[in-house]
Amino acid sequence: MTKTKKIPQRKCIACGKLYDKKDLLRIVNNKELGIVIDETGKLNGRGAYICKDKACLEDVKKNNKLNRVFKQKIDDKLYEEIEAYEIK
Ligand SMILES: [Zn+2]
């Protein structure tokens, strides 16, 4: 209500809605680490964002959406980590 400063927004790869960056889970394809969950939001590389809605996390897992985003096979372990991330 006070300021109209623009907050960077990113699109969830599952539902396609825009969210503030801080409300999204960032997955990054980092040169050293490979494809990982970027909890700091500071890792370099191509990123994909998922909102923290359980339905979206499940959708991403069920439809292997990250495989398409990163154009490669994603380890099931990462999908499990993503799912676990939401639960905690
Ligand atoms: Zn979403």
Side-chain angles (χ1 to χ4, degrees):
M1 288 292 183
T2 48
K3 280 186 204 167
T4 50
K5 204 179 159 210
K6 242 187 160 186
I7 298 157
Q9 291 198 311
R10 294 291 180 274
K11 208 191 233 183
C12 168
I13 59 166
C15 63
K17 286 186 211 149
L18 287 170
Y19 292 92
D20 293 352
K21 267 179 91 171
K22 62 170 170 53
D23 294 327
L24 294 157
L25 185 60
R26 182 172 190 246
I27 315 298
V28 67
N29 188 1
N30 180 268
K31 214 158 61 172
E32 280 85 42
L33 301 168
I35 296 170
V36 292
I37 296 173
D38 179 13
E39 293 194 55
T40 63
K42 288 174 185 157
L43 288 172
N44 288 319
R46 190 189 146 86
Y49 297 85
I50 312 165
C51 71
K52 289 167 185 172
D53 189 318
K54 198 164 171 47
C56 283
L57 294 159
E58 278 172 4
D59 183 46
V60 165
K61 190 183 178 195
K62 202 165 55 189
N63 297 304
N64 298 318
K65 290 209 164 165
L66 290 171
N67 296 39
R68 230 179 304 156
V69 172
F70 293 113
K71 296 187 172 70
Q72 60 185 277
K73 171 93 175 72
I74 309 295
D75 203 326
D76 285 345
K77 230 177 70 196
L78 182 70
Y79 282 115
E80 276 158 31
E81 280 174 33
I82 289 167
E83 218 179 28
Y85 188 90
E86 201 267 341
I87 291 156
K88 84 182 172 188

Coordinates of all heavy atoms in Angstrom, one line a residue:
M1 N 0.8 -1.2 0.0 CA 0.0 0.0 0.0 C 0.9 1.3 0.0 O 0.4 2.3 -0.5 CB -0.9 0.0 1.2 CG -2.0 -1.0 1.2 SD -3.3 -0.6 -0.1 CE -4.4 -1.9 0.2
T2 N 2.0 1.2 0.6 CA 2.8 2.4 0.7 C 3.7 2.7 -0.5 O 3.6 3.8 -1.1 CB 3.8 2.3 1.9 OG1 4.4 1.0 1.9 CG2 3.0 2.4 3.2
K3 N 4.4 1.7 -1.0 CA 5.2 1.9 -2.2 C 4.8 1.0 -3.3 O 4.2 0.0 -3.2 CB 6.7 1.5 -1.8 CG 7.4 2.6 -1.1 CD 8.9 2.2 -0.9 CE 9.5 2.8 0.2 NZ 10.8 2.2 0.6
T4 N 5.1 1.5 -4.5 CA 4.8 0.7 -5.7 C 6.0 0.3 -6.4 O 6.1 0.1 -7.6 CB 3.9 1.6 -6.7 OG1 4.6 2.8 -6.9 CG2 2.5 1.8 -6.2
K5 N 7.1 0.1 -5.6 CA 8.3 -0.4 -6.1 C 8.2 -1.8 -6.7 O 7.5 -2.6 -6.2 CB 9.4 -0.5 -5.0 CG 10.8 -0.4 -5.5 CD 11.8 -0.4 -4.3 CE 13.1 -0.8 -4.9 NZ 13.9 -1.6 -3.9
K6 N 8.8 -2.0 -7.8 CA 8.6 -3.2 -8.5 C 9.5 -4.3 -7.9 O 10.7 -4.2 -7.8 CB 9.0 -3.1 -10.0 CG 7.8 -3.4 -10.9 CD 8.1 -3.4 -12.3 CE 7.1 -4.1 -13.1 NZ 7.5 -4.3 -14.5
I7 N 8.9 -5.4 -7.5 CA 9.6 -6.5 -7.0 C 9.8 -7.5 -8.1 O 8.9 -7.8 -8.9 CB 8.8 -7.2 -5.9 CG1 8.6 -6.2 -4.7 CG2 9.5 -8.5 -5.4 CD1 7.4 -6.5 -3.8
P8 N 11.0 -8.1 -8.3 CA 11.2 -9.0 -9.4 C 10.3 -10.2 -9.3 O 10.2 -10.8 -8.2 CB 12.7 -9.4 -9.3 CG 13.2 -8.9 -8.0 CD 12.2 -7.9 -7.5
Q9 N 9.6 -10.5 -10.4 CA 8.7 -11.6 -10.3 C 9.1 -12.7 -11.3 O 9.7 -12.4 -12.4 CB 7.3 -11.2 -10.6 CG 6.7 -10.3 -9.5 CD 5.2 -10.2 -9.6 OE1 4.7 -9.9 -10.6 NE2 4.6 -10.5 -8.5
R10 N 8.8 -13.9 -11.0 CA 9.2 -15.0 -11.9 C 8.0 -15.9 -12.0 O 7.1 -16.0 -11.2 CB 10.3 -15.9 -11.3 CG 11.7 -15.1 -11.2 CD 12.2 -14.9 -12.6 NE 13.5 -14.1 -12.5 CZ 13.6 -12.8 -12.5 NH1 12.6 -12.1 -12.4 NH2 14.8 -12.3 -12.4
K11 N 8.0 -16.7 -13.1 CA 6.9 -17.5 -13.4 C 7.1 -19.0 -12.9 O 8.1 -19.5 -13.1 CB 6.7 -17.5 -14.9 CG 5.3 -17.8 -15.4 CD 5.3 -18.0 -16.9 CE 4.4 -17.1 -17.6 NZ 4.4 -17.4 -19.1
C12 N 6.1 -19.5 -12.3 CA 6.1 -20.9 -11.8 C 6.0 -21.8 -13.1 O 5.1 -21.5 -13.9 CB 5.0 -21.2 -10.9 SG 4.7 -22.9 -10.5
I13 N 6.9 -22.8 -13.2 CA 6.9 -23.6 -14.4 C 5.7 -24.6 -14.4 O 5.4 -25.2 -15.4 CB 8.2 -24.4 -14.6 CG1 8.4 -25.3 -13.4 CG2 9.3 -23.5 -14.8 CD1 9.5 -26.4 -13.7
A14 N 5.0 -24.7 -13.3 CA 3.8 -25.6 -13.3 C 2.5 -24.9 -13.6 O 1.8 -25.2 -14.5 CB 3.7 -26.3 -11.9
C15 N 2.2 -23.8 -12.8 CA 0.9 -23.2 -12.9 C 1.0 -21.9 -13.8 O 0.0 -21.4 -14.3 CB 0.3 -22.8 -11.6 SG 1.3 -21.6 -10.7
G16 N 2.2 -21.5 -14.1 CA 2.4 -20.3 -15.0 C 2.1 -19.0 -14.4 O 2.1 -18.0 -15.1
K17 N 1.8 -19.0 -13.1 CA 1.5 -17.7 -12.5 C 2.8 -17.0 -12.0 O 3.8 -17.6 -11.8 CB 0.6 -17.9 -11.3 CG -0.8 -18.3 -11.6 CD -1.6 -18.3 -10.3 CE -2.8 -19.3 -10.5 NZ -3.1 -19.9 -9.2
L18 N 2.7 -15.7 -11.9 CA 3.8 -14.9 -11.5 C 3.8 -14.7 -10.0 O 2.8 -14.5 -9.4 CB 3.8 -13.5 -12.1 CG 4.2 -13.4 -13.6 CD1 3.8 -12.1 -14.2 CD2 5.6 -13.8 -13.9
Y19 N 5.0 -14.9 -9.4 CA 5.2 -14.7 -8.0 C 6.4 -13.9 -7.7 O 7.4 -13.8 -8.5 CB 5.3 -16.1 -7.3 CG 4.1 -16.9 -7.3 CD1 3.9 -17.8 -8.4 CD2 3.2 -16.8 -6.3 CE1 2.7 -18.6 -8.4 CE2 2.0 -17.6 -6.3 CZ 1.8 -18.5 -7.4 OH 0.7 -19.2 -7.4
D20 N 6.5 -13.3 -6.5 CA 7.7 -12.7 -6.1 C 8.8 -13.8 -6.0 O 8.5 -14.9 -5.6 CB 7.6 -12.1 -4.7 CG 6.6 -10.9 -4.7 OD1 6.2 -10.5 -5.8 OD2 6.3 -10.4 -3.6
K21 N 10.0 -13.4 -6.3 CA 11.1 -14.4 -6.3 C 11.2 -15.1 -5.0 O 11.5 -16.3 -4.9 CB 12.4 -13.7 -6.6 CG 12.8 -13.8 -8.1 CD 14.1 -13.1 -8.4 CE 15.2 -14.0 -8.3 NZ 16.5 -13.4 -8.8
K22 N 11.0 -14.4 -3.9 CA 11.2 -15.0 -2.6 C 10.1 -16.1 -2.3 O 10.3 -16.9 -1.4 CB 11.2 -13.9 -1.5 CG 10.0 -13.1 -1.4 CD 10.0 -12.2 -0.1 CE 8.9 -11.2 -0.1 NZ 7.5 -11.8 -0.3
D23 N 9.1 -16.0 -3.0 CA 8.0 -17.0 -2.7 C 8.1 -18.3 -3.6 O 7.2 -19.1 -3.6 CB 6.6 -16.4 -3.0 CG 6.3 -15.3 -2.0 OD1 6.8 -15.4 -0.8 OD2 5.7 -14.3 -2.3
L24 N 9.2 -18.3 -4.4 CA 9.4 -19.4 -5.3 C 10.6 -20.3 -4.9 O 11.5 -19.8 -4.2 CB 9.6 -18.9 -6.7 CG 8.4 -18.2 -7.3 CD1 8.8 -17.3 -8.4 CD2 7.4 -19.2 -7.9
L25 N 10.5 -21.5 -5.3 CA 11.7 -22.4 -5.1 C 12.5 -22.3 -6.4 O 11.9 -22.5 -7.5 CB 11.1 -23.8 -4.8 CG 12.1 -24.9 -4.5 CD1 12.9 -24.6 -3.2 CD2 11.4 -26.2 -4.3
R26 N 13.8 -22.0 -6.3 CA 14.6 -21.9 -7.5 C 15.4 -23.2 -7.7 O 16.1 -23.7 -6.8 CB 15.5 -20.7 -7.3 CG 16.4 -20.5 -8.6 CD 17.1 -19.2 -8.5 NE 17.8 -18.9 -9.8 CZ 19.1 -18.9 -10.0 NH1 19.9 -19.1 -9.0 NH2 19.6 -18.6 -11.2
I27 N 15.3 -23.7 -8.9 CA 16.1 -24.8 -9.3 C 17.1 -24.3 -10.3 O 16.7 -23.6 -11.2 CB 15.3 -25.9 -9.9 CG1 14.0 -26.2 -9.2 CG2 16.1 -27.2 -10.1 CD1 14.2 -26.7 -7.8
V28 N 18.4 -24.6 -10.1 CA 19.4 -24.0 -11.0 C 20.3 -25.0 -11.6 O 20.6 -26.1 -11.0 CB 20.2 -22.9 -10.2 CG1 21.1 -23.5 -9.2 CG2 21.0 -22.1 -11.2
N29 N 20.6 -24.8 -12.9 CA 21.6 -25.7 -13.5 C 23.0 -25.0 -13.4 O 23.3 -24.1 -14.2 CB 21.2 -25.9 -15.0 CG 22.1 -26.9 -15.7 OD1 23.0 -27.5 -15.1 ND2 21.8 -27.1 -16.9
N30 N 23.7 -25.4 -12.4 CA 25.0 -24.7 -12.1 C 26.1 -25.6 -12.6 O 26.1 -26.8 -12.6 CB 25.1 -24.6 -10.5 CG 26.4 -24.0 -10.1 OD1 27.4 -24.7 -9.9 ND2 26.5 -22.7 -10.0
K31 N 27.1 -24.9 -13.2 CA 28.2 -25.6 -13.9 C 29.0 -26.5 -13.0 O 29.3 -27.6 -13.4 CB 29.2 -24.5 -14.4 CG 29.8 -24.9 -15.7 CD 30.3 -23.8 -16.6 CE 31.4 -23.0 -15.9 NZ 32.0 -22.0 -16.7
E32 N 29.2 -26.1 -11.7 CA 29.9 -27.0 -10.8 C 29.1 -28.0 -10.1 O 29.5 -29.2 -9.9 CB 30.6 -26.2 -9.7 CG 31.9 -25.5 -10.2 CD 31.7 -24.2 -10.8 OE1 30.8 -23.4 -10.3 OE2 32.3 -23.9 -11.9
L33 N 27.9 -27.6 -9.7 CA 27.0 -28.5 -8.9 C 26.0 -29.3 -9.7 O 25.5 -30.3 -9.1 CB 26.3 -27.6 -7.9 CG 27.1 -26.8 -6.9 CD1 26.3 -25.8 -6.1 CD2 27.9 -27.7 -5.9
G34 N 25.8 -29.0 -10.9 CA 24.8 -29.6 -11.7 C 23.4 -29.0 -11.3 O 23.3 -27.8 -10.9
I35 N 22.4 -29.8 -11.5 CA 21.0 -29.2 -11.2 C 20.7 -29.5 -9.8 O 20.6 -30.6 -9.3 CB 20.0 -29.9 -12.2 CG1 20.4 -29.5 -13.6 CG2 18.6 -29.4 -11.9 CD1 19.6 -30.2 -14.7
V36 N 20.5 -28.4 -9.1 CA 20.3 -28.4 -7.6 C 19.2 -27.4 -7.2 O 18.9 -26.5 -8.0 CB 21.6 -28.1 -6.8 CG1 22.6 -29.2 -7.0 CG2 22.2 -26.8 -7.2
I37 N 18.7 -27.6 -6.0 CA 17.8 -26.6 -5.4 C 18.7 -25.4 -4.9 O 19.7 -25.7 -4.2 CB 17.0 -27.2 -4.2 CG1 16.1 -28.3 -4.7 CG2 16.2 -26.1 -3.5 CD1 15.4 -29.0 -3.6
D38 N 18.4 -24.3 -5.3 CA 19.2 -23.1 -4.9 C 18.5 -22.4 -3.8 O 17.6 -21.5 -4.0 CB 19.3 -22.2 -6.2 CG 20.1 -20.9 -5.8 OD1 20.7 -20.9 -4.7 OD2 20.1 -20.0 -6.6
E39 N 18.9 -22.7 -2.6 CA 18.2 -22.1 -1.4 C 18.6 -20.7 -1.2 O 17.9 -19.9 -0.5 CB 18.4 -23.0 -0.2 CG 17.7 -24.4 -0.3 CD 17.6 -25.1 1.0 OE1 17.1 -24.5 1.9 OE2 18.1 -26.2 1.0
T40 N 19.8 -20.3 -1.6 CA 20.3 -19.0 -1.4 C 19.8 -18.0 -2.5 O 19.8 -16.8 -2.3 CB 21.8 -19.0 -1.4 OG1 22.3 -19.3 -2.7 CG2 22.4 -19.9 -0.3
G41 N 19.4 -18.6 -3.6 CA 19.1 -17.7 -4.8 C 20.2 -17.0 -5.4 O 20.1 -16.1 -6.2
K42 N 21.4 -17.5 -5.1 CA 22.6 -16.8 -5.6 C 23.5 -17.6 -6.5 O 24.5 -17.1 -7.0 CB 23.5 -16.4 -4.4 CG 22.8 -15.2 -3.6 CD 23.6 -14.9 -2.3 CE 22.9 -13.9 -1.5 NZ 23.3 -13.9 -0.1
L43 N 23.1 -18.8 -6.8 CA 23.9 -19.6 -7.6 C 23.8 -19.2 -9.1 O 22.7 -18.8 -9.5 CB 23.5 -21.1 -7.5 CG 23.9 -21.8 -6.2 CD1 23.3 -23.2 -6.2 CD2 25.4 -21.9 -6.1
N44 N 24.9 -19.3 -9.8 CA 24.9 -18.9 -11.2 C 24.3 -20.1 -12.0 O 24.4 -21.2 -11.7 CB 26.3 -18.6 -11.7 CG 26.8 -17.3 -11.2 OD1 26.1 -16.4 -11.1 ND2 28.1 -17.3 -10.8
G45 N 23.7 -19.7 -13.1 CA 23.2 -20.7 -14.0 C 21.8 -20.4 -14.4 O 21.1 -19.6 -13.9
R46 N 21.3 -21.2 -15.3 CA 20.0 -21.1 -15.8 C 19.0 -21.6 -14.7 O 19.2 -22.7 -14.2 CB 19.8 -22.0 -17.0 CG 18.5 -21.8 -17.8 CD 18.4 -22.8 -18.9 NE 17.0 -23.2 -19.0 CZ 16.2 -22.5 -19.8 NH1 16.6 -21.5 -20.5 NH2 14.9 -22.9 -19.9
G47 N 18.0 -20.9 -14.4 CA 17.1 -21.2 -13.3 C 15.7 -21.5 -13.7 O 15.3 -21.0 -14.8
A48 N 15.0 -22.3 -12.9 CA 13.6 -22.5 -13.1 C 12.9 -22.3 -11.8 O 13.5 -22.5 -10.7 CB 13.3 -24.0 -13.6
Y49 N 11.7 -21.8 -11.8 CA 11.0 -21.5 -10.5 C 9.7 -22.3 -10.4 O 9.0 -22.5 -11.3 CB 10.7 -20.0 -10.5 CG 12.0 -19.1 -10.5 CD1 12.6 -18.8 -11.7 CD2 12.5 -18.7 -9.3 CE1 13.7 -18.0 -11.7 CE2 13.7 -17.9 -9.3 CZ 14.3 -17.6 -10.6 OH 15.4 -16.8 -10.6
I50 N 9.5 -22.7 -9.1 CA 8.3 -23.4 -8.8 C 7.7 -22.7 -7.6 O 8.4 -22.5 -6.6 CB 8.5 -24.9 -8.5 CG1 9.4 -25.6 -9.5 CG2 7.2 -25.7 -8.4 CD1 10.0 -26.9 -9.1
C51 N 6.4 -22.4 -7.6 CA 5.8 -21.8 -6.4 C 5.7 -22.9 -5.4 O 5.7 -24.1 -5.7 CB 4.5 -21.1 -6.7 SG 3.1 -22.2 -7.1
K52 N 5.5 -22.5 -4.1 CA 5.5 -23.5 -3.1 C 4.2 -24.1 -2.8 O 3.9 -24.6 -1.7 CB 6.1 -22.9 -1.8 CG 7.6 -22.6 -2.0 CD 8.2 -21.7 -0.9 CE 9.6 -21.4 -1.2 NZ 10.2 -20.4 -0.3
D53 N 3.4 -24.2 -3.8 CA 2.1 -24.9 -3.8 C 2.3 -26.4 -4.0 O 3.0 -26.8 -4.9 CB 1.2 -24.3 -4.9 CG -0.2 -24.8 -4.8 OD1 -0.4 -26.0 -4.5 OD2 -1.1 -23.9 -5.0
K54 N 1.7 -27.2 -3.1 CA 2.0 -28.6 -3.2 C 1.5 -29.2 -4.5 O 2.2 -30.0 -5.1 CB 1.2 -29.3 -2.0 CG 1.7 -30.7 -1.8 CD 1.2 -31.2 -0.4 CE 1.6 -32.7 -0.3 NZ 2.9 -33.1 -0.7
A55 N 0.4 -28.7 -5.0 CA 0.0 -29.2 -6.3 C 1.0 -28.9 -7.4 O 1.2 -29.8 -8.3 CB -1.4 -28.5 -6.7
C56 N 1.7 -27.8 -7.4 CA 2.7 -27.5 -8.4 C 3.9 -28.4 -8.2 O 4.4 -28.9 -9.2 CB 3.1 -26.0 -8.3 SG 1.8 -25.0 -9.0
L57 N 4.3 -28.6 -7.0 CA 5.5 -29.4 -6.8 C 5.2 -30.9 -7.2 O 6.0 -31.5 -7.8 CB 5.8 -29.4 -5.3 CG 6.3 -28.1 -4.8 CD1 6.2 -28.0 -3.2 CD2 7.8 -27.8 -5.1
E58 N 4.0 -31.3 -7.0 CA 3.6 -32.6 -7.4 C 3.5 -32.7 -9.0 O 3.9 -33.7 -9.6 CB 2.3 -33.1 -6.8 CG 2.5 -33.6 -5.4 CD 1.2 -33.8 -4.7 OE1 0.1 -33.6 -5.3 OE2 1.2 -34.2 -3.5
D59 N 3.0 -31.7 -9.5 CA 2.8 -31.6 -11.0 C 4.2 -31.6 -11.7 O 4.4 -32.3 -12.7 CB 2.1 -30.3 -11.3 CG 1.8 -30.2 -12.8 OD1 1.4 -31.2 -13.4 OD2 2.1 -29.1 -13.4
V60 N 5.1 -30.9 -11.1 CA 6.5 -30.8 -11.7 C 7.1 -32.2 -11.6 O 7.7 -32.7 -12.6 CB 7.3 -29.8 -10.9 CG1 8.8 -30.0 -11.2 CG2 6.9 -28.4 -11.3
K61 N 6.9 -32.9 -10.5 CA 7.4 -34.2 -10.3 C 6.8 -35.2 -11.3 O 7.4 -36.0 -12.0 CB 7.3 -34.7 -8.9 CG 8.1 -35.9 -8.6 CD 7.8 -36.4 -7.1 CE 8.6 -37.7 -6.9 NZ 8.1 -38.3 -5.7
K62 N 5.4 -35.2 -11.3 CA 4.7 -36.2 -12.0 C 5.0 -36.1 -13.5 O 5.0 -37.1 -14.2 CB 3.2 -36.0 -11.7 CG 2.4 -37.3 -12.0 CD 1.0 -37.2 -11.4 CE 0.3 -35.9 -11.8 NZ -1.0 -35.7 -11.0
N63 N 5.1 -34.9 -14.0 CA 5.2 -34.7 -15.4 C 6.7 -34.4 -15.8 O 6.9 -34.0 -17.0 CB 4.3 -33.5 -15.9 CG 2.9 -33.8 -15.7 OD1 2.4 -34.9 -16.2 ND2 2.2 -33.0 -14.9
N64 N 7.6 -34.6 -14.9 CA 9.0 -34.4 -15.2 C 9.3 -33.1 -15.9 O 10.0 -33.0 -16.9 CB 9.6 -35.5 -16.1 CG 9.5 -36.9 -15.4 OD1 9.8 -37.0 -14.2 ND2 9.0 -37.9 -16.1
K65 N 8.7 -32.0 -15.4 CA 8.8 -30.7 -16.0 C 10.2 -30.2 -16.1 O 10.5 -29.4 -17.0 CB 7.8 -29.7 -15.4 CG 6.4 -30.1 -15.6 CD 5.5 -28.9 -15.6 CE 4.2 -29.3 -16.3 NZ 3.1 -28.4 -16.1
L66 N 11.0 -30.5 -15.1 CA 12.3 -30.0 -15.1 C 13.2 -30.6 -16.2 O 14.1 -30.0 -16.8 CB 13.0 -30.3 -13.8 CG 12.5 -29.4 -12.6 CD1 13.1 -29.9 -11.3 CD2 12.8 -28.0 -12.8
N67 N 12.8 -31.8 -16.6 CA 13.5 -32.4 -17.7 C 13.4 -31.6 -19.0 O 14.4 -31.4 -19.7 CB 13.0 -33.8 -18.0 CG 13.2 -34.8 -16.9 OD1 13.1 -34.4 -15.7 ND2 13.5 -36.0 -17.2
R68 N 12.2 -31.1 -19.1 CA 11.9 -30.3 -20.3 C 12.6 -28.9 -20.2 O 13.2 -28.4 -21.2 CB 10.4 -30.1 -20.5 CG 10.0 -30.4 -21.9 CD 8.5 -30.3 -22.1 NE 7.8 -31.1 -21.1 CZ 6.5 -30.9 -20.8 NH1 5.9 -29.8 -21.2 NH2 5.9 -31.6 -19.9
V69 N 12.5 -28.3 -19.0 CA 13.1 -27.0 -18.9 C 14.6 -27.0 -19.1 O 15.2 -26.2 -19.8 CB 12.8 -26.4 -17.4 CG1 13.6 -25.2 -17.2 CG2 11.3 -26.2 -17.3
F70 N 15.3 -28.1 -18.5 CA 16.7 -28.1 -18.6 C 17.2 -29.0 -19.8 O 18.4 -29.2 -20.0 CB 17.3 -28.6 -17.3 CG 17.1 -27.6 -16.2 CD1 16.3 -27.9 -15.1 CD2 17.8 -26.4 -16.2 CE1 16.2 -27.0 -14.1 CE2 17.6 -25.5 -15.2 CZ 16.8 -25.8 -14.1
K71 N 16.2 -29.6 -20.5 CA 16.5 -30.4 -21.7 C 17.5 -31.5 -21.4 O 18.5 -31.8 -22.1 CB 17.1 -29.5 -22.8 CG 16.1 -28.5 -23.3 CD 16.6 -27.8 -24.6 CE 15.6 -26.9 -25.2 NZ 15.2 -25.7 -24.4
Q72 N 17.3 -32.2 -20.2 CA 18.1 -33.3 -19.9 C 17.4 -34.2 -18.8 O 16.4 -33.7 -18.2 CB 19.5 -32.9 -19.4 CG 19.5 -32.1 -18.2 CD 20.9 -31.6 -17.8 OE1 21.6 -32.3 -17.1 NE2 21.2 -30.4 -18.2
K73 N 17.8 -35.3 -18.6 CA 17.2 -36.2 -17.6 C 17.6 -35.7 -16.2 O 18.8 -35.5 -15.9 CB 17.8 -37.7 -17.8 CG 17.4 -38.6 -16.7 CD 16.1 -39.4 -17.1 CE 15.9 -40.5 -16.1 NZ 15.4 -40.0 -14.8
I74 N 16.6 -35.5 -15.4 CA 16.8 -35.1 -14.1 C 16.7 -36.3 -13.1 O 15.8 -37.1 -13.2 CB 15.7 -34.0 -13.6 CG1 15.6 -32.9 -14.7 CG2 16.0 -33.5 -12.2 CD1 16.7 -32.0 -14.8
D75 N 17.7 -36.3 -12.2 CA 17.7 -37.4 -11.2 C 16.4 -37.4 -10.4 O 16.0 -36.3 -9.9 CB 18.9 -37.1 -10.3 CG 19.4 -38.4 -9.6 OD1 18.5 -39.2 -9.3 OD2 20.6 -38.5 -9.4
D76 N 15.9 -38.6 -10.2 CA 14.7 -38.7 -9.3 C 14.9 -38.1 -7.9 O 14.0 -37.6 -7.2 CB 14.3 -40.2 -9.2 CG 13.6 -40.7 -10.4 OD1 13.2 -39.8 -11.3 OD2 13.5 -41.9 -10.6
K77 N 16.2 -38.2 -7.5 CA 16.5 -37.7 -6.2 C 16.2 -36.2 -6.0 O 15.8 -35.7 -5.0 CB 18.0 -37.9 -5.9 CG 18.3 -38.6 -4.6 CD 19.8 -38.8 -4.4 CE 20.6 -37.6 -4.2 NZ 22.0 -37.7 -4.4
L78 N 16.4 -35.5 -7.1 CA 16.2 -34.0 -7.1 C 14.7 -33.8 -6.9 O 14.2 -32.9 -6.1 CB 16.7 -33.3 -8.3 CG 16.5 -31.8 -8.3 CD1 17.3 -31.1 -7.3 CD2 16.7 -31.2 -9.7
Y79 N 13.9 -34.6 -7.6 CA 12.4 -34.4 -7.5 C 12.0 -34.8 -6.1 O 11.1 -34.1 -5.5 CB 11.7 -35.3 -8.5 CG 11.7 -34.8 -9.9 CD1 12.4 -35.4 -10.9 CD2 11.0 -33.6 -10.2 CE1 12.3 -35.0 -12.2 CE2 11.0 -33.1 -11.5 CZ 11.7 -33.8 -12.5 OH 11.7 -33.3 -13.8
E80 N 12.6 -35.7 -5.5 CA 12.3 -36.1 -4.1 C 12.7 -35.0 -3.1 O 12.0 -34.7 -2.2 CB 13.0 -37.4 -3.7 CG 12.2 -38.6 -4.1 CD 13.0 -39.9 -4.2 OE1 14.0 -40.0 -3.5 OE2 12.7 -40.7 -5.1
E81 N 13.8 -34.4 -3.4 CA 14.2 -33.2 -2.6 C 13.3 -32.1 -2.7 O 13.0 -31.4 -1.7 CB 15.6 -32.8 -3.0 CG 16.8 -33.6 -2.4 CD 18.1 -33.2 -3.0 OE1 18.3 -32.0 -3.3 OE2 19.0 -34.1 -3.2
I82 N 12.8 -31.9 -3.9 CA 11.8 -30.8 -4.1 C 10.6 -31.0 -3.3 O 10.0 -30.1 -2.7 CB 11.5 -30.6 -5.6 CG1 12.7 -30.1 -6.4 CG2 10.3 -29.7 -5.9 CD1 12.7 -30.2 -7.9
E83 N 10.1 -32.3 -3.4 CA 8.9 -32.6 -2.7 C 9.1 -32.5 -1.2 O 8.3 -32.0 -0.5 CB 8.5 -34.0 -3.0 CG 7.0 -34.2 -3.1 CD 6.6 -35.6 -3.5 OE1 7.4 -36.6 -3.2 OE2 5.6 -35.8 -4.1
A84 N 10.2 -32.9 -0.7 CA 10.6 -32.9 0.7 C 10.7 -31.4 1.2 O 10.4 -31.1 2.3 CB 11.8 -33.6 1.0
Y85 N 11.2 -30.6 0.3 CA 11.4 -29.2 0.6 C 10.1 -28.5 1.0 O 10.0 -27.7 2.0 CB 11.9 -28.4 -0.6 CG 12.4 -27.0 -0.3 CD1 13.7 -26.8 0.1 CD2 11.5 -26.0 -0.4 CE1 14.1 -25.5 0.4 CE2 11.9 -24.7 -0.1 CZ 13.2 -24.4 0.3 OH 13.5 -23.2 0.5
E86 N 9.0 -28.9 0.3 CA 7.7 -28.2 0.6 C 7.2 -28.7 2.0 O 6.5 -27.9 2.7 CB 6.8 -28.6 -0.5 CG 5.6 -27.7 -0.6 CD 4.4 -28.1 0.2 OE1 4.3 -29.3 0.5 OE2 3.5 -27.3 0.4
I87 N 7.4 -29.9 2.3 CA 6.8 -30.5 3.5 C 7.4 -29.9 4.8 O 6.7 -29.6 5.7 CB 7.0 -32.0 3.5 CG1 6.1 -32.6 2.4 CG2 6.6 -32.6 4.8 CD1 6.6 -34.0 1.9
K88 N 8.6 -29.5 4.8 CA 9.2 -29.1 6.0 C 8.8 -27.7 6.5 O 8.2 -26.9 5.6 CB 10.8 -29.1 5.9 CG 11.4 -27.9 5.3 CD 12.9 -28.2 5.2 CE 13.6 -27.1 4.4 NZ 14.9 -27.3 4.1
Ligands
ZN1 ZN 2.7 -22.9 -9.3

